[in-house]
Amino acid sequence: MKAIKVREFGGPEVMKLEDTADVVAGEGQVVVRVHAAGVNPVDTYIRTGTYAVKPNLPYTPGLDAAGVVESAGTGVTHVKPGDRVYIAGSISGSYAEKTLCNSGQVHPLPDNVSFAQGACVFVPYGTAYRGLFQRGGAKAGETVLIHGASGGVGTAGVQLARAAGLTVIGTGGTERGRALVKAQGAHHVVDHGDPDYLRQIMDLTEGRGVDMVLEMLANVNLAKDLTLLARGGRVVVVGNRGTIEINPRETMGRDACIMGMVLLNTPAAELASIHAGLYAGLENGSLRPVVGQEIPLAEAARAHIAVMEPGAYGKIVLIP
Ligand code: NAP
């Protein structure tokens, strides 16, 4: 089988397509033939070798994929060969023609969801779901600012929050991205590059502020986010690429709360709840992953450059 291999940490060019030994399912394991693999910003951080997660070399990148079960080891009962599935992490990496998973990492994919869309489920939707509901405690009737709504987590967050009865304000940095955010169900869309956009958000909430912020770039926005919060407001830090100075006083009169999250910290029971919620939303059509770009697996390096560029538009997936 062919797989992307990283033999040394570094830039996108360290990813090379190689012939490797076929993966084989042992007890409690599943081999999935990958039809599409999702590209996430975290894949690029890991590839540099400077991230908290540092795999042993050589390794195959990728947490997300969708495809068909090729084989299942003894003790696997919830899926069988031929089933359409998406994966939530794997043992051997998803940037490959086949990936070896523990059975708990393999989840049924509803028939109405394409493989390319299935490759956008776990990290983006799982993160948005956990950030909104499990960490942020989002409730119907509240107003949420999805700060960075044009990318993978953002489009997922807009769809999830809209379906759950929140008023959704989304931001995007390009006209194309903002049109996408609107099409996903945001009630209001603003440009996070517009010097006036904080006032626009306050105007949209009639001066009250938002109940929650799902934040994709906290090192740029956290100090501003605090000034946008209504009383009892919460900021959930999803994305961050540096440091920032904030004024803690902004949290005081608002009884506000700043919370961080990393999807991979999610306890098993809450993760099971996330997958159940995502399956239901995918099946009933309220969740519709946006595939912005399909790139051949051999060009994974190009995908890693693209995912870090401004002008996000849904998700980038690799096609083996
Ligand atoms: P993505 O698809 O590349 O999207 C990035 C988003 O950030 C786009 O909407 C982009 O908008 C927006 N953005 C750019 N500049 C911004 C600014 N100044 N203010 C607000 N938003 C801005 O990435 P993603 O997959 O959605 O992930 C988003 C972030 O969350 C990444 O940093 C990722 O590493 C992190 N993440 C964390 C977890 C976790 O477990 N904590 C899980 C998944 C992702 P434009 O391009 O339109 O400007």
Side-chain angles (χ1 to χ4, degrees):
M1 64 176 233
K2 289 196 184 306
I4 294 290
K5 287 279 175 204
V6 172
R7 295 192 172 275
E8 55 176 330
F9 294 114
E13 71 286 350
V14 300
M15 293 188 294
K16 301 264 181 355
L17 192 66
E18 295 186 9
D19 285 311
T20 63
D22 247 11
V23 283
V24 178
E27 188 182 347
Q29 297 177 338
V30 178
V31 170
V32 175
R33 177 166 287 276
V34 174
H35 286 242
V39 176
N40 291 294
V42 71
D43 303 342
T44 75
Y45 316 152
I46 293 170
R47 189 208 64 231
T48 65
T50 57
Y51 190 63
V53 175
K54 198 168 174 185
N56 293 326
L57 295 171
Y59 79 99
T60 296
L63 297 162
D64 281 340
V68 173
V69 173
E70 179 139 311
S71 58
T74 52
V76 178
T77 52
H78 74 303
V79 292
K80 59 181 185 318
D83 284 359
R84 303 173 84 251
V85 293
Y86 72 91
I87 67 166
S90 67
I91 299 165
S92 65
S94 70
Y95 290 15
E97 288 178 333
K98 295 180 197 176
T99 182
L100 178 67
C101 302
N102 286 315
S103 66
Q105 295 173 314
V106 179
H107 302 271
L109 185 69
D111 288 340
N112 58 318
V113 182
S114 72
F115 290 123
Q117 289 179 306
C120 311
V121 173
F122 172 54
V123 172
Y125 280 84
T127 301
Y129 190 102
R130 180 154 178 80
L132 282 168
F133 304 118
Q134 294 182 339
R135 298 291 287 141
K139 293 177 202 62
E142 290 191 322
T143 298
V144 62
L145 171 65
I146 314 269
H147 213 167
S150 49
V153 179
T155 48
V158 170
Q159 293 172 7
L160 283 161
R162 178 71 197 242
L166 284 93
T167 297
V168 182
I169 304 173
T171 76
T174 64
E175 211 169 307
R176 183 169 174 256
R178 288 191 293 280
L180 177 69
V181 174
K182 186 82 181 154
Q184 301 320 305
H187 296 86
H188 309 285
V189 182
V190 295
D191 176 359
H192 50 236
D194 184 333
D196 192 40
Y197 86 107
L198 298 176
R199 191 194 55 75
Q200 292 166 23
I201 292 168
M202 290 311 286
D203 287 352
L204 288 169
T205 61
E206 292 168 354
R208 185 180 161 274
V210 300
D211 300 294
M212 203 178 140
V213 180
L214 199 63
E215 180 53 63
M216 304 306 151
L217 200 55
N219 55 301
V220 172
N221 294 323
L222 187 57
K224 296 181 279 187
D225 289 344
L226 298 179
T227 70
L228 290 171
L229 291 178
R231 186 168 297 175
R234 295 88 69 195
V235 179
V236 179
V237 176
V238 170
N240 183 69
R241 292 178 182 169
T243 59
I244 184 171
E245 186 175 310
I246 64 164
N247 183 353
R249 179 165 293 281
E250 300 289 357
T251 65
M252 295 168 67
R254 295 178 171 86
D255 280 5
C257 180
I258 303 168
M259 54 194 111
M261 65 156 284
V262 169
L263 178 64
L264 298 180
N265 287 344
T266 308
E270 288 171 78
L271 201 52
S273 174
I274 291 173
H275 285 295
L278 296 184
Y279 186 90
L282 291 165
E283 192 183 35
N284 72 25
S286 44
L287 304 182
R288 305 161 308 278
V290 177
V291 179
Q293 220 180 326
E294 295 187 8
I295 293 179
L297 179 61
E299 296 172 43
R302 179 157 72 84
H304 272 209
I305 294 168
V307 77
M308 296 303 281
E309 281 171 349
Y313 192 88
K315 288 285 304 172
I316 297 170
V317 301
L318 294 170
I319 307 295

